[in-house]
Amino acid sequence: MKPDTEEVLRAALANVASSVPDASATSYRKVQIRWRRREYRRRCFVAVLVLLIVVVVCAIGLLMLSGASPDTHVIFNTATTPPPLVPR
């Protein structure tokens, strides 16, 4: 870079840096506390939502199982004929 380009760039950056307001010593801490509180609320909301979904799905499953006829077997259906045995 040319020396004059460096000086122009240095002056421009100094001008931008001087326009930024000085932050107090506790600004970062305040923003961090606010961010952590928001993150904690978000995580709690997601946990409650997942718990609610699991409870609803379990309730639906139990209702379906309790409403089924005890005479109808879905897994072990004995009403069908067994496969023929192959002689050895």
Side-chain angles (χ1 to χ4, degrees):
M1 284 185 167
K2 297 179 184 178
D4 56 334
T5 307
E6 288 180 18
E7 291 301 320
V8 170
L9 184 58
R10 188 180 316 269
L13 290 176
N15 190 12
V16 169
S18 66
S19 67
V20 174
D22 291 334
S24 67
T26 60
S27 295
Y28 175 75
R29 186 98 169 122
K30 288 178 184 177
V31 172
Q32 185 182 29
I33 289 171
R34 195 173 1 163
W35 180 82
R36 284 185 179 178
R37 188 177 302 130
R38 197 172 27 226
E39 183 71 15
Y40 178 74
R41 272 193 305 234
R42 185 187 66 82
R43 286 178 186 244
C44 286
F45 176 75
V46 169
V48 168
L49 186 64
V50 167
L51 182 67
L52 182 67
I53 289 171
V54 168
V55 166
V56 167
V57 168
C58 286
I60 290 172
L62 287 174
L63 284 172
M64 291 295 121
L65 286 174
S66 69
S69 170
D71 298 330
T72 307
H73 300 287
V74 177
I75 297 174
F76 302 109
N77 193 353
T78 57
T80 62
T81 60
L85 294 176
V86 178
R88 293 184 192 193

